[in-house]
Every structure is written in structure tokens, then in C-alpha cells.
Amino acid sequence: MSSRDQAATNCSGGSSGNKEADDTREEWEIRRDELKATGDGHFRSKAYQPAIQTYADALQLDPTNHIILSNKSAAHLANGEKSKALHDARKCVEHSDGKWSKGHTRLAAAMMSLGRYGEAADAYSTVLNELDPNNEVAKRGLEDCRKKEQQLREEKERELRKMQEVLDQQKKAEKEAQEEKETKTKNDNSDEGEEDDLLDDFFSEVEKATEKPKPTKNTPDNDSGEEPTNRIKTQMNDLGTSQSQIDRLLQVNYEWKNLNPFYVLDIPHTIDDDSIISARYRALSLLVHPDKCLDDPVRAKTAFEQVRKAMNQMNDVDKRKHVRALIDEGMKQGKRDWKEECSKSSNVHPDNKEGLAQAQSKATMKIFAEIEQKRREIERRKRKFEQRERAQEDDEKKKETDERRFHNEWREGDRVDKRVGNWRDFQVDGKKKRTS
């Protein structure tokens, strides 16, 4: 029987029934098995930290013992140290040549604790398909993995449905608001129907810039390329000077204000025409490009990056739709905030369009800022978790290296021969005394 096979059995101390078995093992093997038995006792009494330390001491004598590695992985997992449990489980599978089913179930359990249900299912499937088709632990584990994956899919589907419901409600509210506005315009004969006059002026200019000229004898056809050029020139005239746009894009707290790509491109969020958005982007890029702003190239470069970042968002149809929904919500919230402010102060007039626009802009910016803060917090937590996992893995690797070095030095030195020789001399002397 090999030393590793002997480690699979629990040592029972100095009972007479096992004396002959003890006689076939070397002294370090006896000590290893004693430590393993002590660790097993700690584990059964739920003293997981002492069990982990005792298993680690046993592994110093036999670093590749897959059974002790399996037990140490179980102790780490029971102690809430998921990454360390996964590390030991991987070493267990490695040193058992992948042929020990319990090693794979240990690996799967550690992966499940970390939420890696797909990888855990693969480990359980390896046991059932290649090693032990009737393994009950693997069967139950595989079933649990599938249930967890199904729950995750259902949660994602619920989130998507909720998001779609919100978007549908916003679209419905936008449609009702548009119909209400059209009805009001028809019934109002005065000049007070000029809400959002800047946006209406821009729409008019866009329509003029994008209107296809009627072909005449003296007019070049649409393939001449003059229409896009005229459109960009019109956009540039509407945007003003390079310096004014750089100042707008790099004003105080611009990182938060520029989270809204429609604000960066300085167009209404109701525009969804790719040709108009593209023309606006090219016109704004020409104004703030560092090569065109030699008097202020550093700030121009930063402003240009903000424009390019906004256009990347606009090129994604789903992101653009999501941004538009957020702005709609901000406009509604701003209107509610404005009405509340007007009701509290007699000095504020509800018909003040500039005040309403400022309230809507503030509410919209707040929504974008809150979402960005949540995103950054998630990223921070993710980085912190990854750093902790890497640190744990580095500690385990260092510990494993130290154990391997100690093991090699101990075996290469003459201590093993001396200790084994002393043990054999003791056995010979003992037999001589018994026979005499």
C-alpha cells in the first residue's frame, strides 16, 4: 500500500490493531497521518481555523496529498474563505490526476460559493460522465447549479421587462404630451406658443440644411456631395465659435454635465435621425479639433475627446434609447420640481420659461450623475473584490512555494535518513528485547 493510499484511512493512534500498519510507514508519514486525524477532529467539532492550520502542517510533510488538500478546501469553505477553498480544490484535482471524483465535487462546491454556476456544473458533469455516474453528491450539485442558473436568467428577464415597461410608459407619456401640445397650439391664436423657441429654431435650421434642393438645369445633382457640406456649414454657423464651444464643453463640473451626449452635441434629445446627428458631430468636431484651435490645443483636445465619447454613445442604438428615456424622466421631474418651487414662493412665476428650463436641466443632470455614481461604486467594489482575490491567491502561491522548498530541503538533507535510521534501529532493538 502506498503512502497516499494509507493517508486515505484515519489513524487510530497507538491501538494494537494498527501497530503492524504503523511499522510499514516512515516516521514522517505517521506524523502526517496524526496531523490529518487531528485536523479531521477539529473539522467535525466545527473548529475550522485550527483544522485549516493542522491540515497546513500536514501538507508541509506531504504537499501533494490530494486527500488532505480536499479536507483543507472543505475547511476553508466552511470558514467562509471561498477563494482559498477554490485554490486548494484546484490543487487537489491536479495532484489526483483528475481521477478522484471527490476532488471535482470539492472544486464544484467552491465555484458554486463564488457564483460560478456554469463552471461548477461542468465539474459535476465531469464526475457523472467520466468518473462516477451514480455519484449522488454530483447529481444533487448539478441540479442545484441548473436551478441557480435558471433563477439568474429569470431575474435578468424580470429586469428587462421592468425596463421595457418603464420605456413604454415614458413613450406613452411623451406621446400624450405631444398630443396635448398640438391641441394647445391649435386652440391658441396668440404668440405665446413659442415654448422651447431655441429648439424650434434649431429644428427649422436642420430642416433647411437637410432639405434636398429641387433639381434644375443649373443645380448639380445629389451625388455631387454639396448637400452634406452645406449641412455641416449650417451646423457650424449654429454652433458659434470654437472658443465658445470649448468653454461650454469644459465648464465647471463638465465631467458630470457631459454624461448626457445630447447636451454635448448641443441638440434636442427628440432627434433620432442619424444623418442629423452625424452632421452635428462632424461640425462640432471641426470647431474643437486641436488642429483647428492652435491658440488653445490642450483644452481643445479635452473638448474633442468629450465630443467623440458622446458620439460613441449615440452610435449605440440601445444606449441612445436609454439616454433619451432618462432625459424624458428628467424633464418630467424638473417640471414637478418647478411647480413645487412656484407653490412655495410668491416671487416665482409659473410661466417663467427660463426657470422651468433650468429646473429640467438640473433634474436631468442629477439623474445622469446618480447613475454614474452607482456605476463607479460597482466598479470600485469589483476592483476591490478582484484585488482581494488576487492577494489571497498570491498568499497561497507563496505559501505553497515555501512549503515545497521546505519539503525539498528536508528530503535532500540527511535528516530524513537519520530519522528513518533511528526509527529502524528502535524497531530492531525492540524486537531483540522481545525475543531475548
Side-chain angles (χ1 to χ4, degrees):
M1 183 182 295
S2 66
S3 61
R4 185 161 295 168
D5 292 336
Q6 290 170 353
T9 62
N10 290 327
C11 298
S12 57
S15 61
S16 59
N18 285 337
K19 281 183 178 180
E20 292 183 2
D22 287 348
D23 292 344
T24 64
R25 292 175 295 164
E26 296 183 4
E27 185 179 359
W28 68 270
E29 293 175 308
I30 296 174
R31 179 58 181 160
R32 174 202 63 193
D33 293 343
E34 288 175 349
L35 289 169
K36 175 185 175 298
T38 303
D40 293 343
H42 287 316
F43 185 88
R44 283 191 292 271
S45 62
K46 298 184 179 180
Y48 300 122
Q49 195 57 47
I52 292 169
Q53 185 57 52
T54 307
Y55 288 139
D57 293 340
L59 286 170
Q60 286 186 353
L61 299 173
D62 192 359
T64 62
N65 190 293
H66 62 281
I67 297 174
I68 301 177
L69 285 168
S70 171
N71 292 0
K72 185 165 175 276
S73 174
H76 276 306
L77 189 60
N79 202 39
E81 299 170 333
K82 302 174 184 179
S83 297
K84 292 182 179 180
L86 178 61
H87 179 75
D88 283 338
R90 282 175 171 161
K91 290 202 296 183
C92 172
V93 172
E94 176 187 351
H95 293 307
S96 63
D97 297 327
K99 297 179 181 179
W100 193 45
S101 59
K102 193 170 185 178
H104 289 279
T105 57
R106 286 276 190 247
L107 180 62
M111 287 178 171
M112 278 195 69
S113 69
L114 292 167
R116 303 179 185 179
Y117 302 118
E119 296 176 73
D122 292 339
Y124 283 130
S125 298
T126 300
V127 175
L128 295 173
N129 296 333
E130 301 177 13
L131 301 173
D132 185 3
N134 299 319
N135 191 297
E136 293 298 328
V137 174
K139 288 180 180 179
R140 290 194 300 269
L142 183 59
E143 185 178 352
D144 290 342
C145 287
R146 288 171 177 169
K147 287 180 180 178
K148 291 289 186 181
E149 287 183 314
Q150 180 64 26
Q151 289 175 1
L152 287 177
R153 284 194 294 268
E154 290 175 355
E155 288 178 3
K156 287 184 178 180
E157 289 175 359
R158 282 196 296 269
E159 290 178 0
L160 289 173
R161 282 197 297 271
K162 283 184 180 180
M163 187 178 294
Q164 188 61 47
E165 288 174 2
V166 171
L167 293 174
D168 292 340
Q169 290 174 0
Q170 291 173 344
K171 188 181 291 184
K172 182 180 178 182
E174 185 179 350
K175 184 178 180 181
E176 291 175 354
Q178 184 65 26
E179 291 175 353
E180 182 181 352
K181 183 178 179 181
E182 291 176 356
T183 303
K184 184 178 179 181
T185 303
K186 289 179 181 178
N187 297 331
D188 192 358
N189 296 323
S190 65
D191 295 333
E192 295 179 356
E194 296 181 355
E195 288 188 87
D196 297 330
D197 52 334
L198 293 177
L199 303 185
D200 293 337
D201 290 343
F202 176 74
F203 276 125
S204 299
E205 292 180 10
V206 168
E207 290 174 0
K208 290 178 183 179
T210 57
E211 184 179 359
K212 295 182 178 180
K214 296 180 180 180
T216 61
K217 293 182 179 179
N218 297 325
T219 303
D221 57 20
N222 292 334
D223 294 332
S224 63
E226 290 188 2
E227 181 186 345
T229 304
N230 292 334
R231 183 185 302 171
I232 294 173
K233 287 181 178 179
T234 304
Q235 298 271 4
M236 292 180 70
N237 292 333
D238 178 68
L239 289 169
T241 64
S242 298
Q243 192 60 46
S244 65
Q245 285 299 324
I246 292 175
D247 292 340
R248 179 183 70 86
L249 293 169
L250 301 183
Q251 59 185 297
V252 179
N253 295 323
Y254 72 87
E255 296 94 342
W256 298 100
K257 294 181 179 179
N258 293 348
L259 293 171
N260 179 356
F262 286 96
Y263 169 80
V264 175
L265 297 181
D266 200 11
I267 57 176
H269 74 285
T270 51
I271 290 182
D272 198 29
D273 189 329
D274 289 339
S275 62
I276 297 177
I277 294 173
S278 179
R280 189 66 159 186
Y281 165 70
R282 289 195 295 271
L284 189 56
S285 297
L286 286 172
L287 277 177
V288 301
H289 197 281
D291 294 342
K292 303 291 183 180
C293 304
L294 300 179
D295 294 337
D296 197 359
V298 176
R299 295 180 73 239
K301 182 180 180 181
T302 305
F304 180 74
E305 289 297 329
Q306 295 294 312
V307 174
R308 186 162 58 180
K309 181 180 177 182
M311 192 59 190
N312 288 337
Q313 288 183 273
M314 296 293 243
N315 286 332
D316 190 318
V317 177
D318 292 334
K319 285 185 179 180
R320 190 195 306 177
K321 185 178 180 181
H322 179 61
V323 167
R324 188 177 290 109
L326 294 177
I327 297 175
D328 286 336
E329 181 60 31
M331 299 289 281
K332 293 175 187 176
Q333 184 60 46
K335 192 172 184 179
R336 290 192 291 268
D337 294 343
W338 177 245
K339 287 182 179 180
E340 183 179 353
E341 185 177 350
C342 292
S343 64
K344 291 180 180 178
S345 176
S346 58
N347 297 327
V348 181
H349 199 278
D351 295 334
N352 186 342
K353 298 175 184 177
E354 184 177 352
L356 172 61
Q358 290 178 353
Q360 289 176 325
S361 176
K362 183 178 179 181
T364 301
M365 191 188 308
K366 185 178 179 181
I367 289 175
F368 278 94
E370 288 175 346
I371 292 176
E372 177 64 12
Q373 283 179 330
K374 289 179 181 178
R375 187 194 68 79
R376 292 185 181 185
E377 178 63 19
I378 291 172
E379 288 294 325
R380 185 189 67 80
R381 290 180 181 177
K382 183 179 179 182
R383 286 195 301 269
K384 189 174 180 180
F385 177 76
E386 290 175 349
Q387 288 172 357
R388 186 165 61 250
E389 274 202 328
R390 284 197 297 269
Q392 289 177 349
E393 290 180 359
D394 292 342
D395 290 342
E396 287 297 320
K397 288 180 180 178
K398 183 178 182 301
K399 191 173 182 180
E400 182 182 359
T401 302
D402 292 342
E403 290 174 356
R404 189 181 296 111
R405 185 185 300 111
F406 172 82
H407 181 71
N408 292 336
E409 290 175 353
W410 189 71
R411 283 185 173 276
E412 289 173 0
D414 58 353
R415 285 181 294 176
V416 176
D417 297 333
K418 286 182 179 179
R419 293 177 69 178
V420 173
N422 293 336
W423 177 254
R424 288 173 177 168
D425 293 340
F426 172 77
Q427 286 182 312
V428 172
D429 293 339
K431 288 180 181 180
K432 286 181 179 180
K433 289 179 181 179
R434 287 196 296 269
T435 56
S436 60

